[in-house]
């Protein structure tokens, strides 16, 4: 197992890469943890339009890791062709494109009858630009630089808002432990569990990869920045908090594999 540096829009993170696993740039990485029927049967189709290829590919890669289908376009003309062929469920659309601006692309999409929701990306932070983006038919607006996690959260929120009751939430489940990735709710059996943001991200990572065992280095790379300079026992500390909140008075699901790492699964 090795790690590769992946540029985000304002930091660098590392994603664990196993040579035997297909790259998410080619196909979505599978969820090893069980995904309940709350997950939509058909994956979300996302079209990412940005003239900066590294940004477009990064967003598409993260979406594929979420189990979505994603295509990329680097200019307005290609975006219109991809939209016609791909029929996306949602579009991430940069306003500053080399041929057609984002507003023109949106107008032409709407002229075809496509009412697909659109989240605008832009380097402009002026109030007038944000208002223009929303009044021209955009569903949300995000200013660069941004965190990809925030963009994905906004995309899920737009889909819930525009799709209504038809939107199926993504819920990870291991035995009686459930984690709702959209509402960020965690339940152990009938009990709701309150987690900090770091505890939630660590638990989500373990559940997504269950029943695989994850090393401390993998967890640090995924949950914290790869150059995390804090104490080396921070993982043990958060694991201890999770055990206290989730495994007390329940069959333990969080296990330490001595000399290797941690895993969420039923005891064997």
């Amino acid at each position: 197992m090795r790690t590769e540096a992946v540029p985000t829009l304002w930091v660098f993170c590392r994603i664990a890469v196993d040579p035997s696993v297909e790259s998410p740039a080619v196909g979505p990485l599978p969820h090893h943890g069980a995904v309940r029927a709350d997950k939509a049967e058909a994956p979300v189709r996302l079209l990412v339009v940005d003239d900066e290829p590294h940004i477009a590919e990064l967003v598409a890669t993260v979406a594929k890791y979420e189990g979505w289908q994603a295509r990329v376009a680097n200019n307005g003309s290609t975006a219109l062709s991809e939209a016609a062929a791909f029929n996306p469920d949602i579009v991430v659309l940069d306003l500053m494109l080399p041929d057609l601006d984002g507003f023109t692309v949106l107008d032409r999409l709407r002229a075809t009858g496509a009412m697909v929701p659109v989240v605008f990306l832009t380097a402009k932070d002026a109030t007038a630009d944000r208002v223009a983006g929303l009044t021209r038919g955009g569903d949300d607006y995000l200013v660069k630089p941004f965190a990809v996690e925030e963009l994905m959260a906004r995309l899920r929120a737009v889909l819930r808002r525009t799709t209504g009751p038809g939107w199926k939430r993504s819920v990870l489940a291991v035995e009686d432990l459930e984690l709702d990735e959209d509402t960020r709710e965690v339940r152990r059996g009938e009990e709701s569990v309150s987690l900090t943001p770091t505890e939630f991200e660590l638990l989500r990572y373990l559940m997504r990869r269950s029943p695989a065992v994850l090393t401390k280095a993998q967890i640090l790379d995924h949950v914290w920045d790869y150059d995390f300079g804090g104490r080396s026992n921070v993982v043990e500390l958060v694991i201890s908090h999770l055990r206290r909140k989730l495994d007390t008075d329940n069959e333990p699901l969080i296990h330490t594999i001595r000399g290797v790492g941690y895993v969420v699964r039923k005891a064997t």
Side-chain angles (χ1 to χ4, degrees):
M1 181 68 71
R2 59 188 174 85
T3 60
E4 291 183 351
V6 179
T8 69
L9 302 185
W10 58 23
V11 296
F12 279 80
C13 65
R14 285 181 183 265
I15 296 175
V17 178
D18 186 328
S20 65
V21 176
E22 183 180 17
S23 167
V26 177
L29 289 177
H31 292 305
H32 297 279
V35 181
R36 271 187 19 195
D38 297 41
K39 187 80 172 181
E41 291 184 4
V44 174
R45 297 184 302 277
L46 170 67
L47 176 59
V48 185
V49 186
D50 197 298
D51 63 338
E52 297 181 76
H54 67 283
I55 293 179
E57 292 293 346
L58 175 62
V59 173
T61 296
V62 172
K64 290 175 180 179
Y65 186 76
E66 294 281 334
W68 295 13
Q69 294 178 356
R71 291 191 186 181
V72 167
N74 299 129
N75 58 62
S77 299
T78 304
L80 292 170
S81 299
E82 288 287 355
F86 187 45
N87 189 26
D89 296 310
I90 192 165
V91 176
V92 172
L93 180 57
D94 188 12
L95 282 179
M96 305 292 288
L97 297 171
D99 50 356
L100 309 172
D101 63 42
F103 291 142
T104 301
V105 172
L106 179 59
D107 289 342
R108 295 190 182 182
L109 281 174
R110 295 289 184 256
T112 66
M115 300 308 295
V116 58
V118 171
V119 174
F120 281 120
L121 296 181
T122 182
K124 298 181 179 181
D125 193 19
T127 300
D129 293 317
R130 294 198 299 271
V131 171
L134 297 174
T135 56
R136 290 285 290 269
D139 295 273
D140 205 346
Y141 193 105
L142 198 57
V143 177
K144 299 177 181 178
F146 58 88
V148 179
E149 276 295 320
E150 179 183 0
L151 175 60
M152 294 303 299
R154 286 175 179 261
L155 292 174
R156 288 191 289 265
V158 169
L159 286 168
R160 286 198 302 272
R161 188 168 66 245
T162 57
T163 308
W167 168 247
K168 304 297 184 181
R169 301 198 311 273
S170 173
V171 179
L172 301 176
V174 177
E175 297 299 315
D176 64 344
L177 175 62
E178 296 181 353
L179 181 149
D180 190 317
E181 295 186 285
D182 296 321
T183 66
R184 299 184 73 85
E185 295 175 322
V186 176
R187 300 186 69 85
R188 182 74 200 266
E190 299 299 319
E191 298 294 325
S192 179
V193 182
S194 177
L195 300 181
T196 67
T198 300
E199 290 167 352
F200 181 90
E201 291 303 328
L202 198 159
L203 179 63
R204 175 163 66 171
Y205 185 41
L206 288 171
M207 292 181 69
R208 277 179 168 272
R209 298 297 303 276
S210 177
V213 179
L214 302 178
T215 67
K216 183 193 298 185
Q218 286 177 284
I219 294 172
L220 282 170
D221 287 347
H222 188 88
V223 180
W224 290 270
D225 293 346
Y226 78 98
D227 58 352
F228 177 78
R231 296 173 300 167
S232 61
N233 68 342
V234 65
V235 175
E236 290 93 330
L237 183 64
V238 179
I239 289 288
S240 175
H241 291 169
L242 286 172
R243 281 182 169 139
R244 187 175 67 251
K245 293 182 177 183
L246 298 170
D247 286 350
T248 301
D249 300 325
N250 293 297
E251 179 184 355
L253 291 177
I254 302 174
H255 306 284
T256 301
I257 308 302
R258 190 173 300 278
V260 183
Y262 302 95
V263 62
V264 170
R265 67 188 181 200
K266 185 177 180 179
T268 55

